[in-house]
Amino acid sequence: MINTRIIGTGSYLPERIMTNAELEALVETSDSWIQERTGIAERRVVADDQSCTDLATIAAQRALEAANVSPEDIDLIVLGTCTPDRVFPSNACLVQQNLGSKAGAPAFDVAAACSSFVYALDVANRFLRTGGAERALVIGADTMTRLLNWKDRGTCVLFGDGAGAIVLEASDEPGILSTHLHADGAQECLLHVPWGPGMGYDRLTDTNGKISMRGNEVFKVAVRTLGRIVDETLDANGLSKEDVDWLVPHQANIRIIQATARKLGLPMERVVQTVQHHGNTSSASIPLALDTAVRDGRIKPGDLLLLEAFGGGFTWGSALVRY
Ligand code: ACO
């Protein structure tokens, strides 16, 4: 069985910064409430003339540059998102077109809400390990602000827009040690967008095309579930908590991140935290955090990374990575 390694990372955040103070003007909330309950200080908002694939393309270009790989050398694109620009073609096909990447190579989206990036990583990893491709772009990109009801204080303060990407290459050296995916569709009503184009545009209302969430219940399930997946991931590799150098979690809420770090017995200095700068960017949050810590020199070659995510569906997953 072939191994796979991450050979480049990249990310992109839209320019427009939206502070908590701006949200105070839209809904009954406060900077202190948002910071205390979520850790979020600001988020980025996509420009009117930008789309999810524009963000994804820039993140992908930066990952390719870091890997020193040209777009023609990519023979697979897997893009995690829950905000496709269009019903079809997929965001992955649009990114392939934007990059001028190899025509004929497979490109497709994976939809698992906030867990989409770990789902995409799992799929690409399997392609490479079985010889189906040699070099893949794995992207997480979302424009969550386009799914927000700006009158709902329970959701509009939480999310932001962004994109992150990695280049994954078949290798003799171990890199992606294991991936673990799960879903439980029975609890979909706790966190969902209740409308989609398949239901027909005549059923679209002012609010059902937007995120609806029972936050407190989601919070409890997320903390419990992420605690379990930490054990599952380490057990599968015969490793212990002390072996983990960096936790690179989905960035939804600082309190969820702290709970998972406690479960691992990891001090917060070994946890990559970016949620304060961009809120919950859904599929983008793990590759954004990874790229941040790679570029600022915290994550070094050889470090053991635990990536984990939880999101709508419910979906959840993890990856153990020797960087
Ligand atoms: N500003 C001020 N007050 C607010 C706000 C706000 N933005 N939002 C809710 N409140 C109020 C509520 O109405 C409630 O008021 P009440 O007591 O008068 O009824 C009070 O604050 C407490 O509400 P809770 O929902 O119990 O607050 P909680 O401490 O659970 O924090 C939050 C809410 C931040 C949404 C939290 O539950 C959370 O982060 N949940 C996880 C959600 C999430 O991250 N989902 C994304 C996808 S899943 C994932 O990525 C993990």
Side-chain angles (χ1 to χ4, degrees):
M1 191 67 95
I2 306 159
N3 288 304
T4 63
R5 286 187 70 81
I6 298 173
I7 59 164
T9 65
S11 60
Y12 174 74
L13 288 169
E15 276 173 31
R16 157 103 166 90
I17 296 173
M18 189 181 208
T19 61
N20 291 343
E22 283 180 73
L23 286 164
E24 288 175 4
L26 295 179
V27 287
E28 204 183 320
T29 191
S30 65
D31 175 50
S32 61
W33 191 96
I34 300 170
Q35 298 235 29
E36 211 172 282
R37 301 285 178 119
T38 72
I40 300 166
E42 59 189 34
R43 70 283 300 137
R44 299 297 181 100
V45 179
V46 67
D48 287 346
D49 61 353
Q50 265 181 328
S51 70
C52 184
T53 54
D54 292 330
L55 314 190
T57 301
I58 300 172
Q61 281 164 335
R62 291 178 177 173
L64 288 169
E65 213 173 290
N68 203 14
V69 162
S70 94
E72 299 90 73
D73 296 326
I74 293 296
D75 49 13
L76 171 69
I77 300 176
V78 189
L79 190 152
T81 191
C82 60
T83 50
D85 288 9
R86 314 185 198 166
V87 174
F88 61 83
S90 65
N91 278 0
C93 286
L94 295 171
V95 168
Q96 188 191 49
Q97 182 193 101
N98 290 348
L99 291 174
S101 184
K102 194 187 276 178
F108 55 91
D109 288 356
V110 170
C114 298
S115 312
S116 297
F117 179 77
V118 281
Y119 267 64
L121 178 59
D122 176 281
V123 171
N125 186 44
R126 287 173 199 273
F127 260 84
L128 266 58
R129 285 173 70 95
T130 53
E134 280 186 13
R135 218 167 279 114
L137 257 175
V138 186
I139 305 169
D142 267 311
T143 45
M144 298 306 280
T145 61
R146 298 222 162 115
L147 294 181
L148 291 178
N149 173 357
W150 294 102
K151 292 180 182 155
D152 175 13
R153 68 177 181 172
T155 52
C156 75
V157 303
L158 300 175
F159 294 90
D161 303 326
I166 61 168
V167 179
L168 196 65
E169 187 176 62
S171 162
D172 296 333
E173 307 265 311
I176 309 297
L177 303 181
S178 70
T179 49
H180 307 264
L181 302 185
H182 299 282
D184 177 6
Q187 300 191 73
E188 61 90 14
C189 61
L190 295 184
L191 170 58
H192 60 165
V193 176
W195 178 87
M199 291 169 65
Y201 286 89
D202 53 331
R203 288 163 77 176
L204 175 62
T205 68
D206 283 349
T207 53
N208 70 358
K210 312 289 183 186
I211 295 173
S212 158
M213 178 173 69
R214 303 210 315 244
N216 192 270
E217 287 159 82
V218 173
F219 184 90
K220 288 178 195 150
V221 182
V223 168
R224 250 195 337 264
T225 309
L226 290 170
R228 278 204 311 272
I229 208 161
V230 164
D231 289 336
E232 177 188 335
T233 312
L234 292 172
D235 289 351
N237 291 279
L239 291 169
S240 62
K241 294 170 183 174
E242 296 73 46
D243 296 314
V244 176
D245 293 305
W246 291 100
L247 175 64
V248 188
H250 169 48
Q251 312 281 323
N253 181 318
I254 198 69
R255 291 184 297 142
I256 298 176
I257 296 173
Q258 284 163 345
T260 313
R262 265 199 303 277
K263 168 85 189 170
L264 268 168
L266 263 191
M268 288 308 279
E269 302 81 67
R270 307 302 286 175
V271 180
V272 184
Q273 304 166 64
T274 54
V275 66
Q276 58 276 22
H277 305 303
H278 53 61
N280 183 347
T281 56
S282 190
S283 319
S285 88
I286 290 179
L288 261 166
L290 177 64
D291 185 49
T292 301
V294 165
R295 283 177 192 260
D296 69 20
R298 274 178 290 169
I299 292 180
K300 297 192 168 48
D303 282 352
L304 189 70
L305 320 180
L306 177 58
L307 281 45
E308 48 82 349
F310 180 88
F314 287 134
T315 55
W316 62 101
S318 66
L320 198 68
V321 179
R322 181 71 66 191
Y323 182 72

